[in-house]
Amino acid sequence: MRSSLHHCVLQGWGAGYADIVKENKLFEHYYKEQGLVPEGEFEQFMDAMREPLPATIRITGYKSHAKEILHCLKEKYFKDIQELEIDGQMMEAPQALSWYPDEQAWHTNMSRKIIRKSPLLEKFHQFLVSETESGNISRQEAVSMIPPLLLKIEPHHKILDMCAAPGSKTAQLIEMLHADMDVPFPEGFVIANDVDNKRCYLLVHQAKRLNSPCIMVVNHDASCIPTLQIDSDGKKDILFYDRILCDLRIAVRGVEQLAVGGRMVYSTCSLNPIEDEAVIAALLEKSEGALELADSSADLPGLKWMPGVTSWKLMTKDGQWFSDWSEVPSSRHTQIRPTMFPPKDAEKLAALHLERCMRILPHHQNTGGFFVAVLVKKAPMPWNKRYPKVLPHNEVSSMASSPADAPRLLPEGPLEEMERGSSEGKVDEEAEKEVPKGASVAQEASAKQEGMCGPPPSKKMRLFGYKEDPFVFLTEDDPVFNTIQSFYDLSGDFPKLNVLTRTHEGKKRHLYMVSKELRNVLLNNSERMKVINTGVKVWSRNSDGEEFGCAFRLAQEGIYTLQPYIRSRIIRVSVEDIKVLLTQENPFLSKLEDDAHAQAKKMGMGSIVLKYIPNPQCPIQLCGWRGKTSIRAFVPRNERFHYLRMLGVEVFRDKQGLGQKRGDGEKEGKEQVEDEVEKDAEEEEGAGDNETELDLENGDQNGSSKPKTEGGNKETSS
């Protein structure tokens, strides 16, 4: 549904049931009384609530070819959709979200189901699926794109996403860090956290599509996420974040970890003031001036929103209203708290500037319901002031992540209303029945909705027992570097210390890279953090490479990170060469045009970079293998599809006859892609940690040397 609160009231949309009654008189009464919807618009509001959300997509802004993807969408797929009728409904041409920069986000009245099921939209659907897997497009609800934009990310920012799964906002944050494609290692990083271990792997999958060395996925209860430490000019220091994304009750822990001068965006998919303004008001009051609401009214021109409200009241499930804490009978005091009501003092209330909060109503721009507030930290939180920014080494090293012994120890009772809950995180069933309508999960212990972080554990958090291999950084004199350095002629400024592997013993099978700042975090917090994944893969071991000078071949995921440091093993190719390499599995060297053919003949066998530099577009860089008489691109299937589309090659069969016909000269394009690329198993790892690679056959007709994996076809993440 269009907000989490509404999900329980108007539940079931899209669940496959034919006749769902999307009506609840108590719900309507509650929202009419609160006055959140402008006069005369309530029926429009309710009608929008009952309709499915439009399909929305976002183009990955920093990636190569963002402009080409936009051109492809507008000139090809969107034109096919215009004036199309499906099941008696006219399909509207997709529209750019007016408030999202550079036409990078679009929505259409076509539901996901129509796009997925209609044969007339098959090409468009396959395009979306393929480009999504390649990381060039994200299918993301429009309102969830708002918080990252309001954070105003810069490449040097240290960012914490506290409840990050499934990861669409996390992907946005990574994109913003990499706004300058010429900087392979931005100074900043994103730490993406989720309390659910399984959902962390959704995060990993999302993040891997973007191939960034500046992302770390961790698994903690956000309400007690550990305080991390870093080395700063040779001294131990506390890690404070420049930017934080949070929701609900974890806002308390968020502001504690926010740097002075930093911004935190609090957002919910609820329209209920009890979960929205009440939480912000309580946080602002307890901060004693350390926090203030930022005025974001001019930050997203084109976005329609309602200012935050300064008065509201509570309603129980049986329709009983309370306008003030004094009206609440003592029998309900365990569930209804004083902070759920607006502040009484008119002067104090005005000073909070709750009108700076933003409430997005579904009917104004055909979106989900959403609430967002931007907080700026002006000073340390009052309950943290007794802790100096820099602690003695022995004190820092003794920090732990449990609420009982972390340095964030709160004085008696601050924000206790916002953090109430039983020691086991359970709620008495009888008391549950008395919860007021829409009572804040932020203020109660029943945070059971999917994706919400639960209450603080009563016992010390277990940091061990999770099944993840350790992250081990290579030393500068590691013998692995000897052959890698000479084979690829790495430049002197290559950051060797940023290279890591995932095994203490045995042969290193994969090498990864992280930014300098993430290395700092990893080295100083190995006992504190449950790290699920980090970095980008840059090299993989293959058994035949050693005889040609290096046991490690380049990995496509890390090519844009590595390439600035590589000074040999590069073949510059033409657009026709790229088409051959992406549509034929293992072409003879003679299939290349003269210039590239001459370069390849001079180069020894082994791993190579295939580089195409059109003008003025962004370059294409592919990992490849120079065999005895043949050459091959090691590129995942969907990435092949992406590059070919950008070069104007049709890659899907058109079952409806709507697409352009190919000329005779294209016979090695479309059919080759479908026949050869489909069976090319050289897809780099997706959501899982294991990967399967296709070995080239011994003695194949082209006489290519086969790059094969160590110990058979399957490799574990190591």
Side-chain angles (χ1 to χ4, degrees):
M1 282 315 301
R2 297 203 167 193
S3 84
S4 63
L5 174 62
H6 312 135
H7 184 74
C8 61
V9 180
L10 306 174
Q11 61 187 332
W13 181 264
Y17 298 99
D19 299 307
I20 300 167
V21 180
K22 304 179 192 73
E23 185 175 336
N24 186 304
K25 292 301 180 185
L26 209 56
F27 170 88
E28 294 182 34
H29 178 54
Y30 179 78
Y31 275 91
K32 278 181 180 176
E33 282 290 313
Q34 296 289 22
L36 302 178
V37 180
E39 194 170 344
E41 296 182 18
F42 198 81
E43 287 309 311
Q44 293 172 265
F45 167 75
M46 288 306 302
D47 288 344
M49 296 285 288
R50 295 183 179 105
E51 290 298 314
L53 282 167
T56 49
I57 60 172
R58 180 173 55 77
I59 299 170
T60 302
Y62 83 92
K63 279 257 188 160
S64 304
H65 317 121
K67 289 181 180 177
E68 286 80 359
I69 289 178
L70 178 58
H71 179 79
C72 188
L73 280 169
K74 291 168 73 172
E75 298 303 316
K76 185 175 182 182
Y77 296 100
F78 291 170
K79 283 189 174 180
D80 285 350
I81 294 169
Q82 292 182 32
E83 299 179 7
L84 195 62
E85 186 175 330
I86 299 176
D87 296 336
Q89 181 185 2
M90 291 300 297
M91 297 296 103
E92 296 173 5
Q95 300 291 318
L97 296 178
S98 60
W99 44 269
Y100 203 95
D102 304 322
E103 292 189 311
Q104 297 281 286
W106 293 73
H107 68 154
T108 169
N109 71 330
M110 297 180 294
S111 68
R112 293 183 182 92
K113 183 179 179 182
I114 288 176
I115 293 175
R116 192 169 59 247
K117 299 295 185 183
S118 173
L120 294 169
L121 297 170
E122 183 186 20
K123 283 171 61 179
F124 182 45
H125 178 244
Q126 291 182 351
F127 169 85
L128 291 179
V129 170
S130 177
E131 294 294 341
T132 298
E133 275 304 301
S134 298
N136 300 302
I137 279 178
S138 291
R139 286 177 282 181
Q140 179 180 359
E141 188 179 344
V143 289
S144 85
M145 303 176 192
I146 294 171
L149 292 176
L150 292 177
L151 279 178
K152 298 184 178 180
I153 301 295
E154 295 179 19
H156 64 275
H157 283 154
K158 299 174 179 66
I159 307 163
L160 173 63
D161 191 347
M162 297 185 77
C163 271
S168 55
K169 289 195 285 288
T170 306
Q172 249 181 299
L173 300 174
I174 298 170
E175 291 172 33
M176 293 170 178
L177 275 186
H178 288 273
D180 186 348
M181 280 290 286
D182 293 328
V183 180
F185 289 104
E187 289 182 34
F189 56 75
V190 177
I191 294 180
N193 174 72
D194 202 83
V195 68
D196 189 307
N197 185 266
K198 291 180 181 177
R199 287 167 65 87
C200 282
Y201 290 94
L202 289 177
L203 285 174
V204 171
H205 184 53
Q206 282 272 39
K208 278 190 175 182
R209 299 181 310 128
L210 299 176
N211 302 329
S212 170
C214 303
I215 172 70
M216 179 189 294
V217 176
V218 299
N219 178 206
H220 290 277
D221 181 334
S223 64
C224 52
I225 193 167
T227 298
L228 304 183
Q229 66 185 57
I230 51 174
D231 280 325
S232 179
D233 298 323
K235 299 178 181 178
K236 297 294 182 184
D237 206 349
I238 301 295
L239 171 59
F240 289 102
Y241 300 94
D242 301 297
R243 299 291 187 265
I244 293 178
L245 271 186
C246 79
D247 56 21
L248 301 170
R249 54 185 296 284
I250 60 176
V252 181
R253 186 63 177 136
V255 295
E256 289 175 345
Q257 299 216 344
L258 187 65
V260 173
R263 290 166 77 89
M264 184 176 86
V265 171
Y266 171 92
S267 63
T268 76
C269 50
S270 168
L271 300 177
N272 192 342
I274 315 302
E275 292 191 82
D276 298 338
E277 285 91 346
V279 176
I280 295 299
L283 195 56
L284 289 171
E285 282 201 282
K286 295 296 182 181
S287 78
E288 300 175 10
L291 298 174
E292 75 173 24
L293 274 169
D295 183 354
S296 301
S297 56
D299 290 348
L300 296 177
L303 177 66
K304 295 178 182 178
W305 53 277
M306 301 295 294
V309 295
T310 55
S311 65
W312 60 88
K313 45 189 180 175
L314 274 68
M315 185 179 78
T316 61
K317 288 184 177 181
D318 58 6
Q320 184 179 2
W321 288 95
F322 298 111
S323 299
D324 187 82
W325 168 249
S326 61
E327 302 172 3
V328 181
S330 58
S331 61
R332 295 182 184 252
H333 281 187
T334 57
Q335 292 299 310
I336 301 178
R337 304 301 303 158
T339 52
M340 293 180 181
F341 296 92
K344 280 186 175 181
D345 188 306
E347 191 174 331
K348 283 185 178 180
L349 181 61
L352 298 181
H353 293 292
L354 291 179
E355 73 279 357
R356 293 177 180 173
C357 299
M358 306 166 76
R359 179 175 278 103
I360 292 94
L361 298 179
H363 65 291
H364 281 168
Q365 287 178 300
N366 194 15
T367 65
F370 206 64
F371 174 88
V372 63
V374 182
L375 294 157
V376 176
K377 190 170 182 178
K378 312 296 286 187
M381 303 312 292
W383 58 87
N384 289 139
K385 283 181 180 176
R386 66 176 179 270
Y387 294 99
K389 185 178 181 185
V390 182
L391 301 180
H393 176 72
N394 60 346
E395 190 173 344
V396 174
S397 61
S398 66
M399 287 180 191
S401 62
S402 69
D405 56 8
R408 72 178 190 99
L409 287 175
L410 308 183
E412 284 296 312
L415 289 173
E416 49 86 21
E417 297 91 349
M418 301 180 68
E419 299 208 37
R420 290 182 66 90
S422 67
S423 62
E424 298 301 319
K426 298 176 182 176
V427 176
D428 180 77
E429 290 182 6
E430 288 304 312
E432 173 90 27
K433 295 176 183 177
E434 300 300 325
V435 177
K437 184 68 201 157
S440 172
V441 181
Q443 297 162 328
E444 302 303 324
S446 58
K448 294 176 182 177
Q449 295 183 35
E450 185 179 1
M452 292 185 185
C453 295
S458 58
K459 299 175 183 178
K460 188 168 181 176
M461 182 184 295
R462 287 183 61 202
L463 285 180
F464 305 101
Y466 56 98
K467 296 179 180 178
E468 285 297 329
D469 294 324
F471 293 89
V472 183
F473 283 93
L474 275 60
T475 58
E476 198 164 7
D477 57 357
D478 192 296
V480 161
F481 284 126
N482 296 338
T483 55
I484 288 179
Q485 180 81 49
S486 57
F487 191 73
Y488 297 103
D489 190 19
L490 299 179
S491 58
D493 60 344
F494 175 71
K496 290 181 179 180
L497 293 178
N498 295 12
V499 179
L500 57 85
T501 185
R502 304 225 32 197
T503 178
H504 275 298
E505 301 171 357
K507 286 185 177 180
K508 301 172 180 69
R509 295 190 177 177
H510 300 296
L511 301 180
Y512 304 85
M513 289 192 77
V514 294
S515 62
K516 177 183 176 183
E517 288 70 22
L518 268 189
R519 178 182 187 272
N520 192 344
V521 173
L522 275 166
L523 286 177
N524 285 286
N525 300 281
S526 60
E527 300 300 308
R528 225 171 255 106
M529 289 191 307
K530 293 168 62 175
V531 180
I532 301 299
N533 204 283
T534 192
V536 61
K537 185 166 70 174
V538 287
W539 281 292
S540 288
R541 180 183 292 276
N542 72 74
S543 57
D544 279 353
E546 204 156 359
E547 65 183 274
F548 307 125
C550 184
F552 287 88
R553 68 166 178 83
L554 298 164
Q556 182 66 26
E557 299 103 306
I559 192 60
Y560 289 96
T561 299
L562 262 190
Q563 200 279 324
Y565 304 103
I566 296 175
R567 296 184 296 192
S568 71
R569 308 296 301 171
I570 298 173
I571 298 178
R572 293 181 180 266
V573 294
S574 69
V575 63
E576 293 305 318
D577 293 329
I578 288 285
K579 289 179 181 178
V580 167
L581 288 161
L582 292 178
T583 58
Q584 298 181 39
E585 185 175 344
N586 202 31
F588 285 112
L589 293 174
S590 57
K591 289 286 188 77
L592 299 177
E593 293 191 335
D594 292 347
D595 185 25
H597 188 195
Q599 295 175 62
K601 284 176 69 175
K602 293 177 183 177
M603 192 171 291
M605 295 167 68
S607 187
I608 54 173
V609 178
L610 298 155
K611 194 169 186 177
Y612 167 55
I613 308 181
N615 202 4
Q617 299 165 321
C618 297
I620 294 176
Q621 301 184 67
L622 311 176
C623 289
W625 186 268
R626 200 285 204 201
K628 189 175 181 181
T629 61
S630 66
I631 194 164
R632 184 182 183 186
F634 279 134
V635 181
R637 181 187 64 183
N638 287 315
E639 212 162 322
R640 290 191 181 209
F641 287 165
H642 162 70
Y643 287 128
L644 286 165
R645 282 192 204 99
M646 297 305 102
L647 297 173
V649 178
E650 180 60 72
V651 294
F652 292 111
R653 286 193 174 93
D654 182 3
K655 296 177 182 177
Q656 299 301 315
L658 295 175
Q660 297 176 347
K661 292 184 178 179
R662 295 176 294 107
D664 291 338
E666 293 183 52
K667 62 186 177 184
E668 280 194 344
K670 180 179 173 184
E671 276 128 0
Q672 276 296 131
V673 171
E674 292 169 326
D675 297 340
E676 298 294 345
V677 177
E678 286 285 354
K679 68 182 181 183
D680 180 359
E682 177 54 17
E683 288 190 68
E684 305 292 349
E685 56 207 308
D689 283 327
N690 291 345
E691 63 178 342
T692 303
E693 299 181 338
L694 179 68
D695 291 349
L696 301 185
E697 295 297 327
N698 271 321
D700 65 63
Q701 59 174 348
N702 295 341
S704 169
S705 171
K706 66 169 184 177
K708 62 185 178 183
T709 60
E710 188 71 29
N713 279 353
K714 290 195 175 181
E715 298 184 334
T716 57
S717 175
S718 55

